[in-house]
């Protein structure tokens, strides 16, 4: 087992923050549209972060109050190994107590109200389960 020095861990965290920052600057149209609806606690007062590092991953949107992750998938998520990687990500997060919901980019672009309703429902479900 390899041990990681404190400075090495700090370097890794800084790299992940830089990668997240880069992803935020390269957002897709669907990500920008959904972020406009989620930012500044616009969805019923729930706080979201975008391109949030969690463990070895960077997730699209994260609501810490509900441990809910929202992932947006473009057409590349239907090809090759990407569906397997998405499944591995979801399983890794779920084993750590996170809930993950996914939408296709086209779903958000064509009917953002539906996506927001699903997100709100997932948050409310998580909160009721926690009680």
């Amino acid at each position: 087992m390899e041990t990681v020095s404190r400075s090495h861990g700090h370097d890794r965290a800084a790299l992940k923050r830089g990668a997240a920052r880069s992803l935020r600057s390269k957002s897709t149209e669907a990500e920008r549209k959904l972020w406009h609806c989620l930012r500044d606690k616009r969805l019923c007062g729930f706080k979201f972060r975008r391109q949030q590092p969690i463990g070895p991953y960077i997730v699209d949107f994260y609501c810490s109050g509900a441990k809910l992750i929202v992932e947006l998938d473009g057409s590349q998520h239907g090809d090759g190994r990407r569906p397997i990687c998405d499944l591995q990500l979801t399983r890794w997060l779920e084993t750590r107590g996170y809930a993950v919901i996914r939408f296709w980019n086209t779903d958000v672009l064509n009917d953002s109200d539906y996506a927001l309703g699903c997100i709100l429902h997932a948050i409310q479900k998580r909160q009721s389960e926690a009680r």
Side-chain angles (χ1 to χ4, degrees):
M1 176 185 297
E2 180 182 357
T3 59
V4 179
S5 70
R6 192 173 180 101
S7 64
H8 186 268
H10 176 71
D11 292 344
R12 189 176 320 156
L15 287 172
K16 282 176 45 178
R17 283 192 307 273
R21 206 173 293 120
S22 176
L23 287 169
R24 285 191 292 271
S25 71
K26 298 174 186 174
S27 297
T28 66
E29 182 182 355
E31 288 171 336
R32 287 190 303 271
K33 184 172 186 173
L34 187 57
W35 180 238
H36 176 77
C37 298
L38 296 177
R39 67 182 299 179
D40 300 326
K41 300 182 180 181
R42 291 179 182 168
L43 183 64
C44 298
F46 294 104
K47 180 173 176 52
F48 279 85
R49 295 184 197 123
R50 65 183 176 133
Q51 301 304 335
Q52 175 68 37
I54 297 178
Y57 300 103
I58 299 174
V59 300
D60 291 337
F61 301 95
Y62 174 57
C63 177
S64 62
K67 284 191 83 172
L68 177 71
I69 292 164
V70 179
E71 287 287 296
L72 296 186
D73 298 335
S75 59
Q76 74 277 11
H77 287 263
D79 299 333
R81 289 192 36 80
R82 192 62 204 202
I84 294 168
C85 293
D86 290 342
L87 182 60
Q88 288 171 338
L89 164 66
T90 298
R91 284 184 178 158
W92 188 91
L93 291 164
E94 288 176 345
T95 62
R96 285 151 180 86
Y98 298 94
V100 180
I101 57 175
R102 293 181 172 277
F103 299 97
W104 290 103
N105 284 345
T106 53
D107 293 337
V108 171
L109 292 171
N110 294 334
D111 194 356
S112 59
D113 288 340
Y114 171 76
L116 291 168
C118 290
I119 294 167
L120 184 58
H121 176 75
I123 290 170
Q124 291 168 338
K125 181 179 177 190
R126 298 277 295 173
Q127 288 183 327
S128 69
E129 290 171 352
R131 293 179 192 160

